[in-house]
Amino acid sequence: MAWHGKLLRVNLTEGTCAAEALNEEWVADYLGQRGLGSKYLSEEVDPKTDPLGPGNKLIFVTGPLTGTCASTGGRYSVITKGPLTGTIACSNSGGQWGGEFKLAGWDMLILEGRAAKPVYLMIADDRTELLDAEGFIWGESVWDTEYAIKARHQDPLIRVAAIGVAGETLARFACIMNDRDRAAGRSGVGAVMGSKNLKAVAVRGTRGVKVDDPKRFLDVTRQKREILDPSPARARYTGLGTMAMMDVTQAHGSLPTLNCREVQFDGVAEVNVRKQHTPRKSDGQAPYQGAKACFACSIGCGRMAKIDPDHFSIKGKPQHQGVTGGLEYESAYAVGPMCGVTDVEAATYASAVCNEQGMDPISFGATVAAAMELFEAGAVTTAETEGRDFSFGNAEALVWAAEVTGTAQGFGKELGQGAKRLCDKYGRPEFAMVVKGQEFPGYDPRAMQGMALGYATSNRGACHLKASPFQDDFQRVTPDGKAKIVKDSQDYVAAVDSSGPCTFTKAVWQIADYADQIDAACAGDWTVERLLEVGERVFNLERLFNNGAGFTAADDTLPKRVLTEPAKGGAGKGRVAELDKMLPEYYDLRGWTPDGEPTTQTLQRLGLA
């Protein structure tokens, strides 16, 4: 139970939609979302396939708690081979779409092939149809696409997951956006959708979700709310969102700044959470306009913002003059300190354009930062930037870059390829702050040794969400003991990512809290031990896919800058990322060979042999 037991398979080449039974054996071993989607991808897609070719598949998948009353139980994941990295990609999104899809009676959507012309998929419970997008929404922004679909079908409650022009033009870090500003955001899943000529997936659901033991499930979810809702961590997320983290990393010396040349930002007071809550002189309003929550969420970390009506970025752009999605920590770090920009209004606008056209703001901002360093080094000139000074700190350059990247114009096409390809093209690969081709999130790994290892070994490239060494990293700047913390937290996170709730609940709940809810929702005996084993199995399955795609231990590394250039300040002053001290222990704990491949014994133990 908690599953409908069916998936929707859409062959875009043939234009067909067909229901299939969900593989219950795989559900038992991989649970849902990240795990189940990765299993289907591994079974159906050659790891060596071209990510943007018709042989790749795009899988939207829910968890067993998605669509239920479990707090934050509205998540869904998009699984594919990522065009930014060439690795397996798992991108998780909130908002309302995941819950609506589950309420429509589906557990999973598999998209395969390539449509001959642009289309969108309309799902209304059991009714599924591919409809013409050409001359309707193809070429439109995410925001206009959502509005147009709701208007055509005369239903404001339709939920839409769509790509913008960035996805249509195959920007390597294009997102799939839903509910205007929620994103399946990393690794370029939106480019895969664009490569398939699929503009949007619209869904309306009225079927509901059944669980194995309804009374027990209500009791358990109520108990977990009683733990989550009064907690200080929940209060921080509600009141300040993720933006409070900027002052933490600034103080600690782990705020990536000026393309990681620095670890602290002199202008942080102009872009931090206090600045966003401070009223402006122009209109008396603060950039921050309020919070919002996703499906079934009792946290409400989402930020809403309004840009200064007098700011240059929104002149003549009515779509940006109202309240829109605001800065979160990861977007703010990337378009602020990483680029040296102290204009909070310009940063908010750049982030909003990422929402509007469907771009990952982390990869976008880090790529712009790389381009700014290329410009200062003379590798990129005003010929590429159309006469603009592209130096660090130039807010006008940031705004222009967001617009031309989102619409694939001129130098924006180059920026849309990501930092690695950009820096390779202009002869300075060392300027790309990437792992496996994916740009750094907002944690410099010199003061956070666990995060250094987490970045290096993440199956989707540099990522702060696939391991959770934060607490220890902020307490101890040492590589000692990090291998076990990273390995264990990667398995834990993989289990949570396969369940349906938001990862932010990990700030309060323990693994037993998830197991209790899954056990009440699903048939079978779901213990802590079983759930953690699922997480370990999922992580190793992803590793096998990447090994099959050609990735080896040599790819479990970090940019030369953080390995050889000591941090200039903060808790990690004088230190580099000590990856060489952690990787051998990590491989041993994982049951992998020194070449980074799972051993036969490990595969047999996890049922992967």
Side-chain angles (χ1 to χ4, degrees):
M1 301 293 283
W3 292 113
H4 298 292
K6 66 177 185 176
L7 64 86
L8 176 62
R9 187 178 296 271
V10 177
N11 188 308
L12 293 160
T13 304
E14 298 177 359
T16 58
C17 303
E20 291 182 13
L22 201 65
N23 189 312
E24 298 293 345
E25 292 183 5
W26 293 353
V27 169
D29 287 339
Y30 296 94
L31 187 56
Q33 231 171 303
R34 177 178 169 185
L36 191 61
S38 296
K39 176 61 174 176
Y40 271 88
L41 188 82
S42 296
E43 293 290 335
E44 297 189 10
V45 172
D46 183 343
K48 290 183 170 59
T49 198
D50 177 1
L52 297 176
N56 197 11
K57 297 189 181 185
L58 192 65
I59 301 174
F60 290 63
V61 55
T62 63
L65 299 182
T66 305
T68 72
C69 63
S71 184
T72 76
R75 310 296 295 191
Y76 74 97
S77 292
V78 178
I79 317 291
T80 189
K81 183 178 180 183
L84 182 66
T85 60
T87 66
I88 193 168
C90 172
S91 202
N92 187 307
S93 184
Q96 307 296 323
W97 193 94
E100 195 76 18
F101 180 72
K102 190 79 172 283
L103 293 173
W106 302 98
D107 302 315
M108 179 186 293
L109 166 66
I110 300 178
L111 298 150
E112 54 194 20
R114 181 180 189 272
K117 62 180 182 178
V119 296
Y120 70 101
L121 175 63
M122 183 66 216
I123 301 169
D125 293 335
D126 288 339
R127 301 190 306 278
T128 59
E129 187 177 12
L130 287 167
L131 300 169
D132 190 3
E134 201 166 26
F136 171 44
I137 49 178
W138 194 257
E140 300 295 334
S141 72
V142 168
W143 298 347
D144 288 342
T145 295
E146 179 173 329
Y147 175 82
I149 288 175
K150 290 180 176 181
R152 169 177 279 189
H153 295 276
Q154 291 293 292
D155 189 347
L157 296 181
I158 289 173
R159 305 300 179 182
V160 180
I163 56 173
V165 174
E168 294 177 11
T169 54
L170 310 185
R172 295 277 176 165
F173 49 76
C175 299
I176 298 172
M177 304 294 303
N178 57 274
D179 304 290
R180 288 180 61 90
D181 55 25
R182 300 296 92 188
R186 303 226 68 193
S187 308
V189 296
V192 177
M193 194 158 159
S195 75
K196 296 186 175 301
N197 265 339
L198 180 66
K199 179 65 175 179
V201 180
V203 61
R204 184 73 168 92
T206 64
R207 295 297 174 85
V209 178
K210 295 180 180 179
V211 295
D212 187 54
D213 188 335
K215 183 180 185 304
R216 181 178 167 224
F217 185 71
L218 286 173
D219 289 342
V220 169
T221 54
R222 187 179 298 112
Q223 291 166 11
K224 303 313 176 186
R225 282 282 302 270
E226 290 170 356
I227 297 170
L228 176 66
D229 292 0
S231 69
R234 199 279 308 161
R236 285 195 301 273
Y237 277 130
T238 303
L240 300 175
T242 57
M243 272 303 301
M245 184 57 70
M246 187 172 290
D247 290 325
V248 175
T249 53
Q250 169 75 3
H252 188 245
S254 52
L255 176 57
T257 299
L258 303 179
N259 203 33
C260 294
R261 296 195 308 207
E262 306 288 344
V263 295
Q264 291 171 311
F265 185 39
D266 289 342
V268 70
E270 297 303 314
V271 291
N272 65 2
V273 68
R274 181 183 293 274
K275 182 68 174 182
Q276 292 180 37
H277 284 252
T278 301
R280 298 179 287 252
K281 293 181 180 179
S282 60
D283 62 355
Q285 295 189 43
Y288 170 72
Q289 295 282 303
K292 72 172 185 176
C294 301
F295 181 96
C297 179
S298 59
I299 298 175
C301 75
R303 303 295 91 178
M304 302 303 294
K306 185 176 182 182
I307 298 170
D308 185 339
D310 294 333
H311 196 261
F312 74 90
S313 64
I314 63 170
K315 295 297 184 183
K317 302 166 189 171
Q319 74 273 29
H320 287 279
Q321 292 173 6
V323 175
T324 186
L327 289 170
E328 316 287 354
Y329 172 63
E330 293 299 336
S331 58
Y333 126 77
V335 298
M338 192 66 161
C339 295
V341 170
T342 57
D343 184 335
V344 71
E345 308 290 351
T348 302
Y349 175 78
S351 177
V353 172
C354 287
N355 292 336
E356 181 186 24
Q357 294 297 356
M359 298 186 289
D360 171 12
I362 301 176
S363 285
F364 165 74
T367 300
V368 170
M372 287 177 166
E373 187 162 8
L374 287 168
F375 183 84
E376 292 195 349
V380 165
T381 70
T382 53
E384 285 84 14
T385 65
E386 299 180 12
R388 289 171 177 81
D389 177 1
F390 217 69
S391 301
F392 284 111
N394 191 324
E396 289 81 3
L398 174 70
V399 165
W400 173 79
E403 292 172 347
V404 297
T405 305
T407 52
Q409 299 177 59
F411 190 52
K413 294 180 182 178
E414 303 293 342
L415 292 172
Q417 295 304 298
K420 182 182 186 303
R421 290 173 176 82
L422 180 77
C423 293
D424 285 349
K425 176 174 179 175
Y426 289 98
R428 300 301 295 267
E430 71 274 17
F431 290 171
M433 297 298 107
V434 301
V435 174
K436 300 179 179 72
Q438 182 155 283
E439 293 77 9
F440 276 14
Y443 302 89
D444 189 285
R446 286 166 284 197
M448 301 182 70
Q449 298 290 328
M451 193 59 71
L453 182 61
Y455 282 1
T457 58
S458 166
N459 288 321
R460 70 171 185 174
C463 181
H464 64 296
L465 293 173
K466 301 306 181 189
S468 191
F470 296 96
Q471 183 175 358
D472 193 77
D473 271 355
F474 285 125
Q475 293 174 348
R476 302 186 307 129
V477 185
T478 172
D480 298 340
K482 302 294 186 179
K484 179 171 174 53
I485 291 169
V486 169
K487 184 268 180 192
D488 289 349
S489 66
Q490 284 173 335
D491 295 344
Y492 179 11
V493 169
V496 174
D497 282 350
S498 301
S499 302
C502 176
T503 191
F504 287 171
T505 56
K506 298 198 313 301
V508 181
W509 286 344
Q510 304 298 314
I511 187 66
D513 295 312
Y514 301 97
D516 288 346
Q517 293 176 89
I518 294 166
D519 191 54
C522 300
D525 186 17
W526 285 93
T527 63
V528 166
E529 293 74 20
R530 182 180 179 186
L531 192 56
L532 288 174
E533 184 180 274
V534 166
E536 186 180 9
R537 182 178 298 116
V538 170
F539 196 88
N540 278 269
L541 177 70
E542 294 171 335
R543 183 72 178 196
L544 288 175
F545 186 95
N546 286 351
N547 288 159
F551 289 86
T552 69
D555 298 293
D556 294 339
T557 189
L558 295 164
K560 182 180 178 181
R561 174 163 290 167
V562 300
L563 292 172
T564 62
E565 298 178 21
K568 297 177 183 177
K573 184 177 181 180
R575 304 190 75 133
V576 297
E578 300 177 65
L579 195 58
D580 58 336
K581 295 182 180 180
M582 298 181 283
L583 265 178
E585 181 185 358
Y586 174 86
Y587 285 171
D588 184 61
L589 288 169
R590 275 256 167 246
W592 294 354
T593 70
D595 293 326
E597 296 186 4
T599 63
T600 300
Q601 293 88 341
T602 297
L603 296 178
Q604 289 175 340
R605 177 173 61 82
L606 295 172
L608 294 169

